[in-house]
Every structure is written in C-alpha cells, then in structure tokens.
Amino acid sequence: MCFLCLFVAYSLFKMRKTTFLKRKVREFSFIGRALASTRHPVLAHLIPMRRCNLACGYCNEYDHNSKPIDLEIVKSRLNKLADLGTSIVTISGGEPMMHPELDQIIHHIRLHGMIAGLISNGYYFTPDRINRLNKAGLEYLQISIDNVDPDEVSRKSLRVLDKKLRYLSEYADFHVNINSVIGGGIKNPDDALTVARRAVELGFSTTVGVIHDVDGTLKPLSEKEKDIFQQVKKLGNKDHARLNWFQDSIAEGKPYNWRCRAGARYLYICEEGLVHWCSQQRGYPGIPLEQYTMEDFDREYNTEKWCAPTCTLQCVHQVGILDNWRDPQKTPAQMSEEQKSGVGQMIGAD
Ligand code: SF4
Ligand code: SF4
C-alpha cells in the first residue's frame, strides 16, 4: 500500500472513530434524559412514503402506487415531534429510499438535534447515495435480510444485496445494523446464520428478529428455528441481546409480561400524519400528530395494551425497558372509568 493510501485509510479510520464516539455520547445523554423524565417520546417512526419496490409475503406495510409526502408537510411533522421532545426519529416505510427528498428529511431531523435513523430494504444504496446520506447526517441504518436466495416470500436476500453491503462497509459514516429474521414463513432458518456471519465479516452489528404474522402477533418457532435463533443471537451485539430477552419467551411460544408505552414513549406516524400505537396496531389512537397533546401522551403511557404479551416488535420493547420498572398501567376499561368519573366530578354529576 502506498503512503497516500495509508494516509487516506488512517484519516478515514480516525474520522469514523470520532463519529462513533460522538454518536455514543449522544446516545448516553438521550438514555440519561429518558430515565430522568417519562414525559417525552423516546423514539418515533415516521413514514414519508408508503410505496415499496418489493412485496414481501409477510408484510402489511406497503403499497405500490402512493406518492411521496411533500417535504414541507414532513418537515412540519418533524417540527411537532421536536416540540414534543422526541429523542430519536427513524424514517421507515414502505421503502423510504424511494422518497426523492430523503436527504433533506434526514437533515431536518438533525437540525432539531434529534438522532436520525433509517430502515431500508437496501436496494437503493450506491456509493453516491451513501455519501449523500453521510452529508445529510444519517446516524443509524437498519436493513433486514430475510434469506440467502430470493423466493416467493421475500426478495430481501443476501445474494441480491451483498454488493450493496460492500458499498456500505466501504463508504458509510453511519452505523449499520443487519437484522436477520426467523419465523413468519421464511423457508430456510439456516439463512439467518449465513446473513449474520456476513454482517459481522463486513464490520456491521447484527440482530435477529422473530417475524410477526400479518396481525402483528406471535408465530411460534420450530425446534430447528429455535436452535438457529440462539446461534445467531450469540453472534450479535451483546447489548442488544441483553435488551431483547423478551425474544426467548416469544421463541418458546410463551407470552411475555411487559409494559408497552406505544402512543407515548414510542410513536408511529403514518403517511397521513396520524399517530398510531405501532405499525401493527394502526388506528389506535389515530389522532393527527399536529393535534397530539400531552394529555394524549399520558393516556397512552398509562394504558395497558392488549397485544403486549405476544408482541414481537423489538424497538418498542427496547423503549419499554426504560419505564418497565415504574408507573403500572391500567386496562382501557379502567382508564375510561377514570375519565368518566373525572368528567363527572368536573360537572358535579353523580
Ligand atoms: S421491503 Fe419492507 S416495506 Fe417493502 S414489502 Fe418488504 S417488508 Fe414491506
Ligand atoms: S404491544 Fe405495543 S408495540 Fe406491540 S403490537 Fe401492541 S401496541 Fe404495538
């Protein structure tokens, strides 16, 4: 290697190390803030585009014809999330890389001092596109890879995406996590292990998820799937494994007892700008983000979710850990009784 190449490699290494440290400091400060106060969202998933270039067999989150949401509308939603005190905004879809103004969206998240993340199927990454995302200030990217070779359930396949992963390994300044999956009709569970090994080889972190079925709830794993699941977990990020102990119960087909804070600490904002509990429970509470108040926040924070025991959504579980030890929740029936008696007291009724 010539001197110039060595110098470039060293500068790149130094730059990545500094970026990594800055990101870690920001992460810790956000965690500290989340532990100190329960009254702000920790993570919001924002959908600027429902359209996707793929059609995975287990997915209920895409269409093939919707238009990108106008940049100014997306910015106004981000402004509102910032006003609510949101720490992390992850752009998701559909396939968000199809949004023509994704860079400006990422940049706007960073202007507000929020952490910027992206979930993508990986198809659109080129060196130029990665450099533009670096400049925009993207901090985290997650790609889920479902199998090694494409099949009728999924084309999010290692063979198709390997070149894109190599580009990311070479050019990305942001953190890349590769999530492999088990369950949900994925034919060959061994593929999850192949995907995770390749991710580690390329210097990415890796996680494994149990895929939810179409209504967002649990699909029990076979013995073979359970075995692969444990092997992949060992290859992955230790911190992540510690945060995801709920998955052991789910893999065994057992319900898991936790407090889902969706609608409060976690928000899912659909392309129409409505707040939902999550991607799998769209319609609740279904309130426009611009009208969302801390009263809505408190109600959802304190409401027990009927779907929690079999929920497989990793990111909402991780947010839930921050408050699992405090503020027991009430059932929707108890909440509405409380609200009625509150109104009764206010108007002096029996
Ligand atoms: S790539 Fe993602 S959004 Fe698109 S169909 Fe597959 S799972 Fe759904
Ligand atoms: S428990 Fe929470 S995150 Fe899971 S499906 Fe229900 S509302 Fe969504």
Side-chain angles (χ1 to χ4, degrees):
M1 192 186 270
C2 72
F3 176 73
L4 185 65
C5 298
L6 264 176
F7 178 73
V8 170
Y10 175 70
S11 311
L12 214 72
F13 170 76
K14 236 181 128 188
M15 196 178 84
R16 284 192 172 171
K17 217 169 160 189
T18 317
T19 315
F20 171 82
L21 286 175
K22 274 193 202 151
R23 204 163 45 219
K24 282 285 158 202
V25 169
R26 267 158 65 68
E27 257 176 41
F28 283 123
S29 89
F30 281 120
I31 292 170
R33 181 169 162 249
L35 287 169
S37 160
T38 59
R39 302 206 77 237
H40 64 272
V42 176
L43 170 65
H45 274 168
L46 183 76
I47 315 300
M49 173 130 191
R50 184 60 65 186
R51 193 168 176 173
C52 186
N53 54 323
L54 301 182
C56 305
Y58 52 81
C59 179
N60 57 11
E61 297 179 49
Y62 72 95
D63 67 30
H64 279 149
N65 43 32
S66 57
K67 298 227 165 5
I69 303 301
D70 183 80
L71 178 62
E72 290 311 313
I73 296 175
V74 178
K75 279 185 181 173
S76 72
R77 290 174 189 167
L78 290 171
N79 296 345
K80 172 70 185 197
L81 287 173
D83 289 348
L84 289 171
T86 309
S87 299
I88 308 166
V89 178
T90 295
I91 302 298
S92 180
E95 175 46 50
M97 291 284 284
M98 293 174 87
H99 195 292
E101 287 150 326
L102 178 64
D103 299 353
Q104 289 97 311
I105 295 173
I106 303 276
H107 181 64
H108 201 73
I109 297 172
R110 293 301 305 276
L111 276 182
H112 279 293
M114 301 183 284
I115 291 183
L118 177 68
I119 296 178
S120 164
N121 62 33
Y123 269 66
Y124 292 98
F125 288 96
T126 60
D128 173 58
R129 203 65 200 80
I130 296 165
N131 281 326
R132 278 165 46 203
L133 288 168
N134 286 340
K135 277 195 199 125
L138 182 66
E139 290 168 290
Y140 290 92
L141 166 71
Q142 171 151 303
I143 298 177
S144 263
I145 301 188
D146 296 341
N147 49 25
V148 173
D149 292 301
D151 60 22
E152 65 283 3
V153 175
S154 172
R155 301 186 63 76
K156 292 194 293 184
S157 314
L158 187 59
R159 210 167 299 287
V160 182
L161 292 169
D162 198 71
K163 188 170 155 195
K164 310 290 180 185
L165 299 185
R166 277 184 273 129
Y167 288 150
L168 283 163
S169 173
E170 191 169 347
Y171 297 101
D173 289 341
F174 42 87
H175 179 93
V176 179
N177 184 67
I178 304 299
N179 189 59
S180 55
V181 288
I182 294 206
I186 299 298
K187 268 194 213 145
N188 186 1
D190 293 303
D191 284 6
L193 203 49
T194 311
V195 169
R197 284 187 180 135
R198 181 66 178 141
V200 171
E201 198 173 88
L202 288 167
F204 304 141
S205 64
T206 173
T207 50
V208 56
V210 181
I211 302 185
H212 47 70
D213 59 13
V214 280
D215 66 0
T217 52
L218 177 66
K219 193 135 193 154
L221 297 187
S222 68
E223 285 308 311
K224 161 119 186 167
E225 285 171 329
K226 271 189 242 170
D227 178 46
I228 299 285
F229 176 63
Q230 292 304 334
Q231 289 190 58
V232 179
K233 258 178 50 170
K234 278 192 197 130
L235 272 180
N237 180 332
K238 303 272 178 309
D239 294 342
H240 200 274
R242 271 193 287 275
L243 293 177
N244 276 353
W245 59 75
F246 78 93
Q247 288 186 323
D248 292 330
S249 300
I250 299 293
E252 291 294 331
K254 293 179 192 152
Y256 184 76
N257 186 18
W258 67 295
R259 292 175 186 143
C260 169
R261 306 290 182 177
R265 301 285 260 172
Y266 170 83
L267 302 175
Y268 179 92
I269 318 298
C270 74
E271 69 279 24
E272 284 161 19
L274 304 178
V275 178
H276 307 271
W277 280 351
C278 66
S279 65
Q280 301 309 309
Q281 295 298 346
R282 280 176 266 161
Y284 309 95
I287 296 170
L289 177 63
E290 75 261 22
Q291 291 163 22
Y292 215 66
T293 61
M294 285 314 283
E295 203 178 312
D296 298 313
F297 180 102
D298 290 340
R299 182 192 59 243
E300 299 306 332
Y301 180 85
N302 289 310
T303 301
E304 190 180 293
K305 313 297 189 300
W306 61 270
C307 38
T310 53
C311 170
T312 62
L313 299 185
Q314 293 178 51
C315 49
V316 195
H317 272 272
Q318 288 172 3
V319 169
I321 287 170
L322 293 163
D323 309 305
N324 221 19
W325 51 283
R326 57 187 166 193
D327 306 325
Q329 292 176 314
K330 294 172 187 151
T331 62
Q334 287 168 325
M335 289 294 288
S336 83
E337 270 314 303
E338 256 183 30
Q339 275 168 349
K340 266 192 246 155
S341 62
V343 172
Q345 277 163 15
M346 272 162 60
I347 60 175
D350 183 357

